[in-house]
Amino acid sequence: MCGIVAYVGQKDAYPILINGLKRLEYRGYDSAGVALFETDIIVSKKKGKVQELVNFMDTRPRNGKIGIGHTRWATHGVPDDINAHPHSSGNGRLTLVHNGIIENYALLKAALEKEGHKFKSETDTEVLVHLIEEIQKRDNLPLEEAVRIALTRVIGAYAIVVLDENEPGKLVGARKASPLVIGIGENEFFLASDATPIIEHTKRVVYLNDEEIAVVRQSGEMEIKSINNEVLTPFIHELDMEIEMLEKGGYDYFMLKEIYEQPNTIADCMRGRLNAEEGWIKLGGVDEFANRIANAQRFIIAACGTSWHAGLIGEYLFEELARMPVEVEYASELRYRNPIITEKDVVIALSQSGETADTLAALEMAKEKGALIYGIVNVVGSSIARMTDAGSYIHAGPEIGVASTKAFTAQVTLLTMMALRIGYQRGTISESYFRLLLNELASIPAKVERVMASNQLIEYIAGEIKDRPNALYLGRGYNFPIALEGALKLKEISYIHAEGYPAAEMKHGPIALIDENMPVIVIATNKSAYDKIVSNIQEVKARKGFVIAVVTEGDTVISELADHTIEIPDTEEPLTPLLSVIPLQLLSYHIAVMRKCNVDQPRNLAKSVTVE
Ligand code: F6R
């Protein structure tokens, strides 16, 4: 939530900042702004997407080899020009961009108002820049020292970058619970919320840790200190990412590109980890803690949103294949309960971004209670990836569409491998079934490719239901989480109200909603309880519901009953979600396009939810 980017070096900062903001727009798009420093700091900001700022900049000065930029997802204060970042100190000397929330801003603001500070915006961020100004001017401190002292008084989350008009040639950045990456070029530095704005300039990066402050200078020097004033030695990482991964590559939307990437991303997730011919699975993180994981009392899976749906599939997989007791928790609920977690538990976090504030906080709580923390994360070097005891990256590559697609299937692939690996060690799965599932899993990328062949049919069906105000998704067993995921995809990008339900639960309430206007999407590929799902479809049809069924290739029973059927290739039941989710992703995509919604940037959403 909120993206920040900054540059100091020998080149013009403006194009670097604008390109960076475009890359970070997935993090929020309520307003955007830049501050450029040539002889003075000039701030330009605009409500709306980055393009509004670009249009506005046609009439504004764009010079300067130093600058900071921001794209906002509003927390404190409505999205407008005034609340947009950057924010400036009262004397105009300091300018700051911020991602996060200053929780004690009201107290700080009241104290600053007593000192005579006047605020223009409703934001917590403006309070922070005034606080730095107050500390700086009281003791005549250099910028980095004023920032450091100010941050000791702040409660909350922040990634910030600050410019000082009286100290040209340098930027000061800091982080706590919101990400900040520093790119190192030739006498130039790039600071950003993630590596995507940096990759086209350099692959050498430093991931700032919590409560660290960086000073980067036009002369090419960098210093990093802790908030307690200790000098630290930065660790330089080499980025494993190519610029093409961040482009749409001919697709209209990133979401569509990411849906179509899934045969590759699922294969990438398995690469080097699964060998069907030789019959093994290797997962570095699991292998390292093999006994502790295999003998755990219980797994607790913590996640949010789509990642939580993947976690629910994980529960079915771990129970069936590894006979392991599992609880799946919304991270936001887990952290605020007083859960019973012990050192015998393994807490598995699922997160595409690796930055979701609730998931991070739940893990910190579980870590304090002594549980082993295992991360299943996409973004390399992210906060969750760095705080876990062990973990596996899903290797889905950058996911830019706000609605998660390829990260979901990669998470499910990883969970499947993990369940198989642990089940094998625990002896809860037979050698023959283990081998069968390995072979089947290896064939999933090709089968996903085959599902894509139904795209035209799915587009046609989308046209039939695009104007209906509601939709119901039903599934049983492994397909129940897919019903939830299908409904979430539809509501978040097309703004149609949708509910996912276990198919058998329908008769306990939702059946009252069914009439000829209600599209009911039934994921009916099950082998177990097949007759039961057929009965559920009959119950819907008896009430004139409009049934769209996802079925296994060659199914003739359901195609007689349903208004439309979408076929997916046959597979073993535990692997079904990897195929059955694809038509639902495509269905939501086409409906959203037909309703002229911004598929990649749905209203009110942001991709990396760094606020609680
Ligand atoms: C929905 C979606 C969100 C995320 C959720 C968790 O399409 O993308 O529901 O799944 O915000 O995000 P991560 O996985 O980054 O922790």
Side-chain angles (χ1 to χ4, degrees), residues 273 349-355 359 363 374-386 388 390-396 407 410-411 414:
R273 291 167 161 171
L350 287 162
S351 177
Q352 187 287 128
S353 61
E355 299 294 347
T359 310
L363 294 185
Y374 199 95
I376 298 180
V377 170
N378 191 30
V379 177
V380 175
S382 54
S383 302
I384 293 178
R386 283 182 298 137
T388 50
S392 307
Y393 284 116
I394 58 172
H395 297 310
Q411 286 169 336
L414 201 292

Side-chain angles (χ1 to χ4, degrees), residues 303-309 350-357 359 376 379 384 399 401-405 407 411 485 488-489 492-493 605-609:
C304 304
T306 287
S307 295
W308 187 86
H309 297 155
L350 287 162
S351 177
Q352 187 287 128
S353 61
E355 299 294 347
T356 301
T359 310
I376 298 180
V379 177
I384 293 178
E399 191 182 62
V402 163
S404 186
T405 52
Q411 286 169 336
E485 176 58 9
L488 177 62
K489 285 287 91 87
E492 70 181 327
I493 62 169
L605 284 170
K607 194 154 183 72
S608 186
V609 186

Side-chain angles (χ1 to χ4, degrees), residues 24-35:
L24 292 173
E25 210 167 13
Y26 73 87
R27 300 177 69 90
Y29 26 85
D30 289 333
S31 62
V34 288

Side-chain angles (χ1 to χ4, degrees), residues 141-270:
L141 294 171
L143 176 64
E144 55 272 31
E145 188 55 9
V147 168
R148 190 185 69 77
I149 294 169
L151 293 179
T152 60
R153 296 182 49 191
V154 157
I155 299 170
Y158 55 77
I160 56 168
V161 187
V162 201
L163 272 175
D164 183 340
E165 206 160 69
N166 290 7
E167 298 180 37
K170 83 173 171 196
L171 291 171
V172 175
R175 76 154 269 175
K176 183 181 179 194
S178 289
L180 194 61
V181 187
I182 305 170
I184 306 167
E186 286 294 316
N187 289 339
E188 60 180 357
F189 295 96
F190 309 81
L191 280 74
S193 298
D194 70 26
T196 59
I198 297 176
I199 187 74
E200 61 206 86
H201 307 288
T202 175
K203 290 199 165 184
R204 299 174 71 226
V205 297
V206 171
Y207 294 99
L208 217 56
N209 290 311
D210 275 352
E211 304 203 315
E212 287 181 2
I213 299 164
V215 186
V216 290
R217 296 174 201 273
Q218 215 162 16
S219 51
E221 291 137 36
M222 171 171 73
E223 295 140 38
I224 299 188
K225 275 188 178 180
S226 75
I227 201 168
N228 303 323
N229 218 8
E230 300 145 311
V231 178
L232 304 166
T233 312
F235 180 77
I236 299 175
H237 297 253
E238 198 66 26
L239 286 175
D240 179 21
M241 196 193 285
E242 299 304 329
I243 190 72
E244 299 73 49
M245 293 175 168
L246 307 175
E247 311 286 352
K248 283 194 201 139
Y251 288 91
D252 290 342
Y253 287 97
F254 280 109
M255 183 183 176
L256 189 61
K257 176 186 174 223
E258 288 158 7
I259 291 173
Y260 271 88
E261 277 174 349
Q262 289 174 109
N264 291 334
T265 49
I266 293 172
D268 288 344
C269 181
M270 294 190 283

